[in-house]
Amino acid sequence: MVESVESAPPFLDRHGRMLGSLRLSVTDRCNLRCQYCMPAASYDWLPREDLLSFEELRRLAALFVSLGADQVRLTGGEPLLRRDLPDLVRKLSGIPGLRDLALTTNGLLLAPLAAPLRAAGLQRITVSLDTLRPDVFERVSRRKGHAEVLAGIDAALAAGFRGLKLDCVVMRGMNDDEIPALLDYARAHGAELRFIEYMDVGGAQHWKPERVVPAAEILQHIQRAFGPVSGGGAQGAAPSTPWRLQDGTPFGIIASMSAPFCGACVRSRVTADGHWFHCLYAREGFDLRAPLRAGLSDKELAEFIGARWRERDMQGALDRLRAGSHGAGEGDAHYEMHVRGG
Ligand code: SAM
Ligand code: SF4
């Protein structure tokens, strides 16, 4: 059990942003090599002994929850590659005060795991789905497996996951002609599709500004196919701007490049080896594994985390937009999404 830090005031950073949502990466490994995320070449994965154990992950999650985070999302790399993931979900789902336990996956291994994950207490799943065409899938991800992803989505629905989200990174000349078809697919499956602007993170070796399809253009594609849309209003701390088709079908657009949501960003991320990053673009993280393994008490760890959050200043995407420095740091392993957890 984590010692109570009831007397802790709300943890606000220098821009008044709460310590809200924690993305916990459970592995840096992946069974795909998405162009926008990973280099194609072979990769030196983290040694297994560097990975946080399930007990360490549970302890960290409980600490963050005690400091005010009420959302934990498991990510990676590909989180379903972590052996016995339902056991971790069971441990996390028992944390008092954790309101929302979610998972982001590429879906490849989801079909056999959807029901066990739900039985273990997982509440929500987001599946990455960039295309409905197997050949495009292979080009984007440099691997086969499109049919498995679609089977994974069906299995998640059959297992009773509601509010399924599908995330699509839109790349010009790759899948931007599929925007209406993907929305049709999501509507038919009762899922919410979210279009994500292609970000200039380090693993995206071929990122170029002209490959980004900005939110306004995504919206034009949709209006041309489906008529007027409504929404686009306040989004709170959520990165996605919510929209609806005329028939009520919900969808979202994450304008990380053209309209970054840094001002409301309550997210932080812990890598699979326990480094805590305050921003997707932060060059430095805080090592939480060393103090965990050095035997610090929950109180000492909570104080450390709370103090670092109060110092949090970064607004990486906004700063890059203002400075016109998109693309800077490209190819820099520090920024890679499969390490950071997206
Ligand atoms: N492997 C899982 C998956 O693909 O869903 C989880 C990890 S992945 C790093 C998390 C999310 O980051 C995915 O939805 C992916 O689409 C997104 N992502 C990765 N690189 C991106 C980029 N360059 N721009 C925008 N989104 C990106
Ligand atoms: Fe793997 Fe997800 Fe990155 Fe694709 S986006 S390479 S599936 S971690």
Side-chain angles (χ1 to χ4, degrees):
M1 282 293 285
V2 166
E3 295 162 33
S4 165
V5 279
E6 290 159 77
S7 56
F11 286 94
L12 300 181
D13 73 4
R14 290 196 178 159
H15 298 278
R17 300 170 297 187
M18 296 251 316
L19 191 158
S21 152
L22 178 66
R23 294 176 80 90
L24 262 187
S25 176
V26 296
T27 178
D28 63 329
R29 292 171 193 249
C30 194
N31 42 9
L32 298 181
R33 295 288 182 279
C34 301
Q35 281 190 30
Y36 49 70
C37 176
M38 280 189 74
S42 66
Y43 203 84
D44 290 332
W45 307 113
L46 288 169
R48 283 189 200 281
E49 61 276 14
D50 283 5
L51 300 188
L52 296 182
S53 67
F54 283 1
E55 201 37 59
E56 289 168 331
L57 286 164
R58 191 206 60 81
R59 189 165 169 223
L60 264 191
L63 277 166
F64 275 83
V65 170
S66 76
L67 291 169
D70 60 354
Q71 254 193 328
V72 172
R73 176 170 294 274
L74 300 178
T75 179
E78 173 45 40
L80 300 186
L81 286 175
R82 182 80 187 246
R83 201 181 308 152
D84 301 324
L85 193 70
D87 292 346
L88 174 65
V89 167
R90 199 165 296 110
K91 284 182 193 291
L92 298 180
S93 65
I95 296 174
L98 178 57
R99 182 182 56 81
D100 186 28
L101 180 57
L103 168 87
T104 297
T105 171
N106 63 28
L108 217 61
L109 301 174
L110 184 55
L113 279 168
L117 286 168
R118 178 138 168 88
L122 186 69
Q123 289 163 279
R124 296 190 303 122
I125 294 189
T126 299
V127 182
S128 295
L129 182 71
D130 301 321
T131 177
L132 296 173
R133 301 197 305 245
D135 59 319
V136 176
F137 179 88
E138 222 174 296
R139 248 192 301 145
V140 173
S141 71
R142 305 173 177 125
R143 295 287 187 276
K144 291 187 191 298
H146 189 248
E148 284 84 343
V149 175
L150 298 186
I153 291 170
D154 290 341
L157 292 169
F161 283 103
R162 297 287 162 255
L164 189 73
K165 290 200 169 80
L166 302 175
D167 278 1
C168 167
V169 178
V170 184
M171 296 168 85
R172 192 179 304 284
M174 182 67 79
N175 59 352
D176 52 335
D177 57 338
E178 285 191 74
I179 290 171
L182 282 160
L183 249 181
D184 272 333
Y185 172 91
R187 172 162 60 183
H189 286 76
E192 182 181 331
L193 184 62
R194 301 185 314 169
F195 298 101
I196 307 175
E197 287 178 353
Y198 178 20
M199 293 174 69
D200 59 336
V201 284
Q205 307 267 299
H206 304 293
W207 187 90
K208 288 190 181 62
E210 51 279 17
R211 298 206 73 187
V212 179
V213 183
E217 197 180 325
I218 294 173
L219 216 46
Q220 279 170 10
H221 279 288
I222 293 169
Q223 285 170 318
R224 224 173 287 132
F226 297 99
V229 297
S230 57
Q235 50 181 322
S240 170
T241 304
W243 294 92
R244 282 187 188 275
L245 300 181
Q246 275 167 312
D247 67 1
T249 302
F251 68 95
I253 303 184
I254 302 181
S256 329
M257 299 297 290
S258 64
F261 52 92
C262 301
C265 179
V266 298
R267 288 180 176 191
S268 62
R269 29 189 50 88
V270 172
T271 59
D273 63 348
H275 284 75
W276 182 37
F277 286 91
H278 282 179
C279 174
L280 210 44
Y281 291 103
R283 293 191 70 82
E284 305 292 337
F286 302 97
D287 183 5
L288 299 180
R289 189 188 58 191
L292 264 179
R293 292 189 179 170
L296 260 67
S297 69
D298 288 338
K299 189 161 175 292
E300 288 167 322
L301 280 167
E303 277 168 8
F304 177 77
I305 295 168
R308 297 294 83 72
W309 188 262
R310 287 202 175 97
E311 293 162 4
R312 179 181 187 243
D313 196 24
M314 276 207 73
Q315 308 196 78
L318 195 58
D319 289 345
R320 287 161 86 85
L321 180 66
R322 284 178 179 153
S325 60
H326 282 146
E330 189 209 312
D332 184 338
H334 283 98
Y335 292 134
E336 279 169 9
M337 279 292 228
H338 75 106
V339 178
R340 291 290 166 94

